[in-house]
Amino acid sequence: MVAVKEKLAPFHILVLIYMTQTGVVILSLGQMLAQTFGINGWLALPFYGVIVTANLLLIGLVYRMGRGKSIFDIMERRLPLLLLSPLYLLLTMVWSMLACLVSMEYVLIFQMIAFPTTNPVWFKIVIDLLAYSLFIKGIYTISKASTVFFYLTVWMYLFSSMLFHEYSWNRLTPFFFQEGDFALPGMSGIYAAFLGYELVMLLFGYVDRSAKLMKLAIWANLLVFVSYIYVSMLVFGFFGFGELREMQYPLIDMFAYVKFPFIERIENLLYGLLLFTMLATMAMYYWSANEASGRLFPKLKPSYRGIALIAGTFFVGLIPDTLAEVNEWLTWFGIVEIGIAFGLPLFLIALLLIRKEKEAPVHA
Amino acid sequence: MDHRQQQLSHILRQFDDCADFTHKAFPELHADLLYFDHMVDSQKLYREVTAPILSASESELQNALDRLSGARMEADRDIVVAILSGSVALIYREQAYVIDMYNPKGRSISQSESETTITGPHDAFSEPVGDTLSLIRRRIKSSHLKCVRMKVGEISKTDVFLLYVADIVNMHYVDELSRRIRGIEIDAVHDTNMLVQLIDDRPSSIFPQFFTTERPDAIASKLAAGRVVGIMDGSPSAFSAPTSFFEFFTSSDDYYQRWSLGTATRALRFFSFAVTILFTCFYVSVTTFHYEMIPQNLLLTLSESRSRVPFPPVYEALLMELVIELLREAGARLPTKIGQTIGIVGGIVIGQAAVQAGFTSNILIIVVASSAISSFVMPSYIMSASIRLIRFGLIILAGIWGNLGITVGVAYLIIHLCHLTSLGSSYMTPVAPHKPGDWADVFIRAPFKLLKTRPSQAKSPNPARMKMKK
């Protein structure tokens, strides 16, 4: 095999982060916003956008202080592996469980809508195998596949233009944030819709520093933010607050109204295509977990570690057997992940302050 | 026994029981001619070797031999190999001369049957490698066009030539390709399409990782684009590398038509690709699991058409696809006239009768026929065959899990394609890695004034291909 060294190009980084961030949550985002923030709840999204950007700037500080080196290298140069092991174990567990739960949620939604009589375990096995075949090939293949998935899914936004005639500005009403419950699980659930950006920390070692990784991550987040604002505004204006609060997956119901002469109810296509974005998210989380576990078990082949991760999380993932339970698990793991997204960069900054990184990065 | 006798008997022993081997002895001159009659140009042999020898006296013979355009060889093994390669060996006293007279009787240059074009050149490569080389050299009259010769096959010892344009090609690709070809250890290689499978990046993949063609104009364009080309003696196909998935959707025709027509044709090919792999499986998915996706008016027609069919849609579709594949394979193997009959039998008898007998629905016939026709829009036969096979997998997946099954299949296909490489460079170029500069010559065929650079995949040290201002 020729050793033509591939590098993550800027466009791929942008798409990879965007695809990692977007996932199944987009289906219920409108309902979550209505439930948590009440009337015109979509206006809460800019706050989330700002918090995520602040988090990304924090990660950017690590990138700058660490001179683009891998976060694992930064930690291991300053602390013994024995001390880091619990952290690596936590990262492996949280990331792999998030991957598993995201797919479990997708599978259960799909089963509920299309295959109520089929055992979801079969779907889960196949999707896990698919994710395995992707993440085990490494970050370059994940980024390339994400790019193709992006092109295959992005045109769904165009279809939404066919719903404009049903859109009514009146349904938005002149009130803001009324009748929301402002509950913590709801708030963290909405934040979880943005999660995925924190994995940019693991890309440090894989990109050329000239690629301006952090700038791209902020752009990707902006893209996610714009798409969420667009989708949320659309469902708020399409259904209105009262109806939206009672719906489970407003996006699916909304797309059910799109009609063509030869085909209608294209929500069937939508949740089929959501597999692509979900797969990108899943693959990135599993890949990250595999990277972290690699530090714990460096002698074990990545493929074996990958199998162990998939198999381990598969069985744990079977414990929550209803959609509500899966959502509850996702909420708790989401909260832990938010902690990691803020805590890990702070921890790294503290380490870098204790001992500065002087050498130039190996890959530059 | 003297050295000459020993050498002669050793060589002759190598060709024991070779009835087609010719040994002409001239005992009065102490000379022997050894060759295969069917591989050499007999007129040239007479003119340049036999006649001068016969007309020369023994004293003049040495001078006559020195004038021959052959090389002196010492080792018996080299002489045997040269005879097998179409040379004439002349053994005179203690010396052995080898004169290249290779001129086998082969098919003359004719039109390609698998890659026909409407506009543009109609000549195609034929089996003798000399003709192939000549067709390429006639198109690229540059001393920069280099040619590396290699032998492949322990028994067949087939000539393989690697061609490239120095200063345009990335030598890394040439070195890698020649390393792979030299590394082949097999008894015989019979065709270029077989050769490329021995040097694939991923031999287990269903997708071709080298672009093969019979058209000299296509090969000339690949060389000018900075790719490496390989040709093989005895095969009318040449290959070029590195290649990408999207290159298989291009045809020489695109460049000979107006750019807008070329672009429309390319769009048609991408559309036909989608139809080939998705149309039948979508029919299966919709009629099995997602009836709600069919508009009410169409639903009536569809359910009426399916009402007499006793099988689930997946069996119905697989049956019809199988029949189409049988017809295609039978049509490809039979002479043209009988092939036409097969078409009529298949089209009218099976199609019409299957519907009347209640084996299949009218709409499925339309679906299957459209996807079969679409598969033939693909300019590359090998890629078209790969895609047709993939379709079967997708139909089965659609029959099991409907739209999710199709998406799972397509996702796996994308993951596989993204992992594939051709000579180490990504198979999904220019989509992944993202090279928008190449899109003007991949997804559309932009006007020539916009096609200023060579494809990025070629990683050419000299990427500019056009400097015209207007």
Side-chain angles (χ1 to χ4, degrees), chain A residues 98-116:
Chain A
L98 274 172
C100 168
L101 290 168
V102 163
S103 73
M104 200 66 202
E105 190 190 22
Y106 176 81
V107 161
L108 289 175
I109 295 174
F110 187 80
Q111 188 225 6
M112 186 180 76
I113 297 168
F115 290 92

Side-chain angles (χ1 to χ4, degrees), chain B residues 77-138:
Chain B
R77 191 183 148 76
D78 294 343
I79 297 168
V80 170
V81 169
I83 293 171
L84 287 167
S85 305
S87 292
V88 172
L90 170 62
I91 297 175
Y92 171 66
R93 293 191 187 273
E94 303 293 303
Q95 303 151 11
Y97 294 84
V98 169
I99 311 124
D100 187 13
M101 294 276 165
Y102 185 58
N103 188 19
K105 291 156 191 74
R107 186 161 66 98
S108 61
I109 293 167
S110 56
Q111 206 167 340
S112 168
E113 282 186 18
S114 59
E115 293 171 70
T116 46
T117 57
I118 299 153
T119 45
H122 292 285
D123 53 353
F125 294 137
S126 59
E127 286 75 10
V129 76
D131 292 354
T132 306
L133 278 169
S134 140
L135 281 171
I136 297 172
R137 283 260 179 223
R138 271 184 245 169

Side-chain angles (χ1 to χ4, degrees), chain A residues 28-41:
Chain A
S28 51
L29 187 66
Q31 186 270 340
M32 285 156 80
L33 285 165
Q35 180 89 33
T36 313
F37 294 104
I39 299 168
N40 279 327

Side-chain angles (χ1 to χ4, degrees), chain B residues 56 70 103 105 115 123 143 158 163 195 252 269 273 290 302 349 356 382 385 400-401 423 470:
Chain B
N103 188 19
K105 291 156 191 74
E115 293 171 70
D123 53 353
S143 59
T158 317
L163 287 88
L195 176 78
S252 311
R269 288 196 200 113
F273 167 69
H290 311 288
L302 186 69
V349 180
Q356 282 176 0
I382 293 177
I400 302 171
W401 283 346
L423 272 191
K470 268 201 170 181

